[in-house]
Amino acid sequence: MKPAVATRAAVYALLACGWALAAWALAGSVVPDDLSLPRVNVDATFGGDLVSRAERYERFLYVDWALAQIAALATLWVYAKRGTRFIRESAAGPIGTGMFLGMVGLAIVWLTQLPFSVAALWWDRRHGVSEIGYFEAIFGGWLALGGTFVAVCVALLVVMALARWLGSWWWIPGAGVFAAIAALLIFVSPYLTEGLEPVKDRRLQQTYERYEQAQGVDDIPLRIEKVSGDTSQANAYAFGMGPSSRIVLWDTLLDGRFSNRELDVVLAHELAHHSSNHIPEAIGWFALFALPGAFVLMLATRRRGGMGEPAAVPLALLVSAVFSLVVLPAQNLVSRGMEAEADWKALQTTRDPAAARGLFEEFATTSLGDPSPPTWAYLLLQTHPTLAQRVAMTDAWQARRRSRALSP
Amino acid sequence: MRAVTSAPLPATAPHRPVRLVVTDDLERRRLTVLFRLVLALPHLVWVTLFGMAALTLAFVVWLAVLFERRAPGTLHRFLASYVRYTVHLTAYLTLAASPYPSFTGSASYPVDVEIDPPARQGRLGSGFRLLLALPALLLSSTLGGSAALGGWSGVALLSGTGGLAVAVSLLGWFASLARGRMPRGMRDAATYAIGYGAEAAAYALLLTDRYPLATPGRVEPAPELPVHPVALDVRDDLGRPRLLVVFRFLLVIPHLLWLTLWAVPALLAWLAAWVLALVLGRVPRFLHRFLAAFVRATTHVWAFLYVVGRPFPGFVGREGSYPIDLRIAPPARQRRLGVLARLVLVLPAFVLSFAYGGVLLVVGVMGWVAALATGRMPPGLRDLGAAALRYQAQVFAYLFLLTSRYPDSSPVLRGRPPEPAPLPALPAEVIS
């Protein structure tokens, strides 16, 4: 074996071991390993009418999503073949031209996705889930595309500069730089988000502070986001990291459809994301997925001169899209694990499985979420456990508590 | 110092049915300049009445052209005299000419317009003439170069751009009062606006079916184009891929962020250059190169954003890297007093730069629509945009001490070189 090949093999082996170790460390959860979820009768729990309505609603969105993916991949395939023609439309040097090709590729994909986005919006509006206007959706998306352009430019700047400097080894530091950029964006995003208001409900604030103590975190601001003009869906999220940590409730959660006890479950669930360090863990997972992604990118673009050459960028976009689709089930698995852990911690904090169950049942109504989606949709689209699984977890938690109380 | 012209003046320009003729000698009498607006009051009343009559008759001409495909000679002459009169009046108001104009538009004037006799016109183009004329009237209003159809003070002032001719007349008023002479660049800017306004008015009033051309410098005789250390090269083919036109504003976002970041060291470099130029009498070469690259990169980005240039520009402002390019002469000695007072001296140029900015915005919007529809940038709009970019680049080059030469406000891109100054008379003994 030649020394260069041996060195390369040793580096790969080392990275694979490191990857496996890191994945094992990140995969830990407070949800008991031996927890088995009981079977939930979906029709009985959520009501037959609601389930069939939710299935019908989601089915359209699944088809719309699948067609959008096919259109995006087909577009990127054509762009990978012919996109290099746009090189002559740039006077920006190799890296600038690479950034330009990246933006043009995204612009074309955005155009092809527009009909599917509009179709999904039409469906949402038809079912009363969204109240966003078509004009706002199209031109709001247009502006958001500007942000994506900047992100793509930064990513290509990093990748192409590293590739021109380090040659075919760029992917190792490249993955690290991506993770660092992701961490930076996550850290600063709460400071850049406007329109979040403090909570005025004293009971809610007091409960929140009690749960903060119970979960061992403190001084994480709780904020309200006004979305009721755009949607009737209910949601909450945790974002930021360290001093920028925040928890945000949509005001649609506070419009009277949810009881105080159900809201308490939401608070405990979101706090659990911070107390379980899910956001730093998500960055870790991002780095773990970025490493093989960058490796695949390096391999795929070698025939076009590597990522240092602008001609490789259209192909890189296609490879990135395919890779993202391929690892989507794994990413969703990680995400569902974190959400399940947050649900479990919420139950431990509130000790109110009835409220949690009521909350999940209500979600089926407000968001028209299919409680038990088809397997392919579950694998590719579900970042949270299904509503049936979440209800089952409350039952399992309750059963476990009873058995512990009965045991001598 | 290198030549400014991006291309030599064409030997034979295609015939245009509406032609601007400028015989003005730039001399101005201070007294009439001081009271110019007051003196023009009778004309302002008269142009309103004349305009109402012209608009009424234009409707008759419209019907005649729809049926006969040709304007009646008498009505054509009346409307042509109205357009000529508005040219004279606008030239007088904007200080592009000195003599008090006649009220009929018949006598010759230092800034005059020649209009061909009536010719056959297409019915379709004539039927929708007012609609078709709207873009030209919008641009004419932004340029502020026509008192016809109320364009001079209407849309331009409402849109906040104020009009190029308005800015020129304001600055020219002070300059003429001080020197008894209108600066050539400002006069040429005003006559360009007036010429385009006349073409737009003639088109709207059915005097011709030739669409107004926005290319600056189409004046008889050919205008002068002096050498300037900051010159613009135009090597653009006018083709614009529609996809890049649609997403132009989004594509330029990384450039805008980059220029914002670059502006911080550029500002520090400018401060250093200012101090060093005061001490040394010239800007050190490395600072000159850095600031020149910044000004050039900014010009490339604006050219791309406003559809004046075709390709995606580079990030470092390298000379020769873009079809709309700046050539900036190497550093030269500068007078310390001029360096010291640079921030004050540049203020009038900034006023005009603001007006050119308004023109550039309109060029960008109209060019965007046209390029999206046809896949090409109209040559007139491209040239006007290039002229506006050149002026703005010269303003920033002057501010950043890249040159001590004041910005040339003329929009002319191609013209004849300045005539050499007459040699001093030799003593008799030398002649003998």
Side-chain angles (χ1 to χ4, degrees):
Chain A
M1 191 184 284
K2 288 180 183 174
V5 176
T7 309
R8 197 176 285 265
V11 170
Y12 290 167
L14 203 65
L15 284 172
C17 290
W19 197 99
L21 272 174
W24 177 77
L26 288 171
S29 171
V30 299
V31 180
D33 291 336
D34 60 344
L35 186 75
S36 62
L37 298 181
R39 188 173 174 77
V40 172
N41 184 332
V42 173
D43 286 342
T45 306
F46 297 95
D49 281 351
L50 179 63
V51 170
S52 57
R53 202 153 64 93
E55 281 174 355
R56 207 167 47 246
Y57 168 74
E58 293 273 28
R59 197 178 303 129
F60 179 90
L61 295 180
Y62 294 151
V63 172
D64 186 70
W65 179 85
L67 291 175
Q69 297 306 307
I70 292 167
L73 290 178
T75 307
L76 284 172
W77 187 77
V78 173
Y79 188 64
K81 289 255 179 200
R82 300 184 179 178
T84 48
R85 290 177 186 182
F86 283 100
I87 287 178
R88 64 169 179 258
E89 297 298 336
S90 170
I95 295 181
T97 301
M99 289 157 66
F100 168 70
L101 289 175
M103 289 190 287
V104 171
L106 270 192
I108 296 171
V109 170
W110 182 83
L111 275 180
T112 61
Q113 296 297 289
L114 201 56
F116 302 103
S117 311
V118 171
L121 179 62
W122 167 75
W123 193 246
D124 283 348
R125 285 168 61 96
R126 190 183 153 104
H127 287 82
V129 172
S130 175
E131 288 160 31
I132 299 173
Y134 292 106
F135 184 86
E136 186 187 345
I138 293 169
F139 289 97
W142 185 279
L143 289 179
L145 186 64
T148 315
F149 273 20
V150 174
V152 163
C153 281
V154 172
L156 283 167
L157 177 68
V158 169
V159 167
M160 294 185 77
L162 284 173
R164 293 178 80 81
W165 179 39
L166 300 172
S168 61
W169 289 105
W170 68 266
W171 57 280
I172 299 174
V177 173
F178 281 148
I181 292 173
L184 180 70
L185 287 177
I186 286 171
F187 180 77
V188 300
S189 60
Y191 299 120
L192 303 176
T193 308
E194 292 180 346
L196 301 180
E197 294 168 3
V199 178
K200 289 173 186 160
D201 185 335
R202 279 190 65 187
R203 190 208 70 81
L204 201 65
Q205 185 65 37
Q206 284 169 352
T207 308
Y208 178 73
E209 286 165 9
R210 206 171 67 243
Y211 288 170
E212 276 188 313
Q213 281 187 337
Q215 293 196 15
V217 290
D218 52 11
D219 292 337
I220 295 176
L222 174 64
R223 295 284 180 263
I224 305 295
E225 184 176 4
K226 193 168 165 36
V227 297
S228 49
D230 297 331
T231 181
S232 63
Q233 285 187 318
N235 197 12
Y237 56 93
F239 74 146
M241 215 169 38
S244 74
S245 299
R246 303 276 187 280
I247 283 173
V248 177
L249 304 182
W250 281 7
D251 65 341
T252 42
L253 274 168
L254 309 173
D255 59 7
R257 290 179 295 173
F258 297 90
S259 69
N260 285 343
R261 285 167 55 201
E262 288 167 352
L263 286 178
D264 295 347
V265 175
V266 174
L267 291 179
H269 173 97
E270 298 306 334
L271 269 173
H273 282 310
H274 281 306
S275 67
S276 305
N277 293 318
H278 282 166
I279 292 166
E281 280 181 14
I283 295 168
W285 279 111
F286 176 81
L288 288 186
F289 283 112
L291 195 69
F295 179 67
V296 169
L297 214 54
M298 183 274 290
L299 285 181
T301 55
R302 272 197 305 199
R303 285 180 62 186
R304 289 200 178 181
M307 278 308 297
E309 294 300 319
V313 170
L315 180 62
L317 291 182
L318 174 66
V319 172
S320 303
V322 171
F323 182 82
S324 302
L325 208 57
V326 168
V327 300
L328 198 54
Q331 286 177 329
N332 286 339
L333 183 71
V334 169
S335 173
R336 285 195 300 267
M338 289 179 183
E339 295 297 337
E341 186 176 29
D343 279 347
W344 187 262
K345 265 195 151 176
L347 287 165
Q348 299 279 42
T349 307
T350 59
R351 300 190 170 277
D352 192 351
R357 192 184 171 98
L359 176 74
F360 300 138
E361 286 172 8
E362 188 62 35
F363 275 157
T365 311
T366 57
S367 305
L368 273 185
D370 184 356
S372 184
T375 307
W376 73 268
Y378 175 72
L379 292 175
L380 286 172
L381 296 173
Q382 294 288 325
T383 56
H384 288 57
T386 65
L387 291 173
Q389 286 173 330
R390 298 178 90 170
V391 168
M393 181 180 268
T394 61
D395 292 347
W397 185 87
Q398 204 165 14
R400 205 174 176 88
R401 194 174 170 216
R402 272 200 213 106
S403 67
R404 287 214 175 145
L406 291 173
S407 64
Chain B
M1 200 179 291
R2 285 174 285 188
V4 181
T5 44
S6 54
L9 195 68
T12 52
H15 178 80
R16 305 285 302 180
V18 179
R19 299 170 297 280
L20 196 72
V21 180
V22 178
T23 53
D24 171 60
D25 61 359
L26 299 173
E27 298 294 327
R28 302 288 181 267
R29 286 195 169 276
R30 289 185 175 86
L31 192 66
T32 64
V33 169
L34 182 64
F35 296 106
R36 182 65 51 120
L37 208 56
V38 182
L39 291 169
L41 279 178
H43 277 289
L44 294 177
V45 175
W46 175 238
V47 76
T48 310
L49 299 172
F50 204 165
M52 287 162 68
L55 277 178
T56 310
L57 290 176
F59 179 69
V60 179
V61 170
W62 181 67
L63 291 175
V65 171
L66 278 183
F67 286 102
E68 302 286 332
R69 300 188 66 182
R70 190 187 293 270
T74 317
L75 294 181
H76 179 90
R77 277 194 296 280
F78 179 84
L79 291 179
S81 65
Y82 169 68
V83 171
R84 284 188 73 196
Y85 171 67
T86 59
V87 165
H88 300 170
L89 176 59
T90 316
Y92 184 69
L93 282 168
T94 57
L95 297 158
S98 188
Y100 198 71
S102 78
F103 284 80
T104 57
S106 54
S108 67
Y109 196 72
V111 177
D112 207 353
V113 66
E114 293 175 354
I115 300 173
D116 280 354
R120 278 172 70 87
Q121 299 188 39
R123 286 198 178 90
L124 196 64
S126 306
F128 294 99
R129 182 57 54 91
L130 211 53
L131 197 65
L132 293 170
L134 277 179
L137 292 174
L138 174 67
L139 186 57
S140 171
S141 299
T142 311
L143 294 171
S146 176
L149 307 172
W152 193 69
S153 57
V155 184
L157 291 178
L158 286 174
S159 66
T161 58
L164 179 65
V166 177
V168 164
S169 57
L170 181 72
L171 297 171
W173 189 79
F174 287 105
S176 301
L177 274 183
R179 301 168 56 201
R181 199 176 158 80
M182 181 74 167
R184 181 202 47 77
M186 287 191 188
R187 195 277 314 272
D188 286 350
T191 52
Y192 163 69
I194 290 165
Y196 187 81
E199 281 195 62
Y203 179 74
L205 294 172
L206 295 136
L207 294 175
T208 173
D209 61 353
R210 184 76 68 87
Y211 205 79
L213 182 62
T215 298
R218 292 176 305 97
V219 174
E220 293 173 11
E224 190 180 296
L225 186 64
V227 176
H228 195 286
V230 179
L232 192 82
D233 273 338
V234 180
R235 299 184 306 274
D236 172 58
D237 65 355
L238 297 172
R240 301 287 183 271
R242 288 184 177 86
L243 184 73
L244 303 191
V245 174
V246 174
F247 290 102
R248 191 141 297 222
F249 184 72
L250 295 180
L251 289 169
V252 90
I253 289 175
H255 273 291
L256 298 180
L257 293 175
W258 169 240
L259 285 179
T260 308
L261 291 175
W262 193 352
V264 177
L267 192 67
L268 296 175
W270 170 65
L271 281 173
W274 187 73
V275 173
L276 289 170
L278 278 179
V279 176
L280 305 172
R282 65 189 304 146
V283 176
R285 191 170 286 274
F286 72 98
L287 283 176
H288 182 276
R289 205 166 46 231
F290 181 75
L291 289 168
F294 178 68
V295 172
R296 202 179 292 114
T298 309
T299 304
H300 294 171
V301 171
W302 289 150
F304 180 70
L305 175 63
Y306 291 113
V307 207
V308 176
R310 172 175 172 156
F312 185 73
F315 285 81
V316 293
R318 189 163 49 83
E319 187 174 328
S321 66
Y322 202 70
I324 307 292
D325 199 21
L326 270 189
R327 280 188 284 109
I328 301 176
R333 288 201 70 79
Q334 300 193 35
R335 292 174 64 186
R336 288 182 174 83
L337 193 62
V339 173
L340 183 70
R342 189 58 54 98
L343 264 180
V344 178
L345 292 172
V346 82
L347 287 178
F350 261 128
V351 173
L352 206 51
S353 173
F354 183 72
Y356 267 119
V359 171
L360 197 54
L361 181 66
V362 173
V363 164
V365 172
M366 288 170 64
W368 189 84
V369 175
L372 202 58
T374 64
R376 279 176 70 79
M377 180 72 170
L381 284 181
R382 192 275 315 273
D383 290 344
L384 178 56
L389 283 170
R390 183 186 60 187
Y391 186 75
Q392 293 189 322
Q394 287 181 352
V395 171
F396 279 97
Y398 180 70
L399 174 67
F400 285 158
L401 303 158
L402 298 176
T403 175
S404 58
R405 179 77 177 274
Y406 208 73
D408 180 11
S409 40
S410 165
V412 175
L413 285 175
R414 300 172 189 86
R416 62 184 164 83
E419 287 169 11
L423 292 170
L426 294 172
E429 57 271 31
V430 174
I431 297 172
S432 61

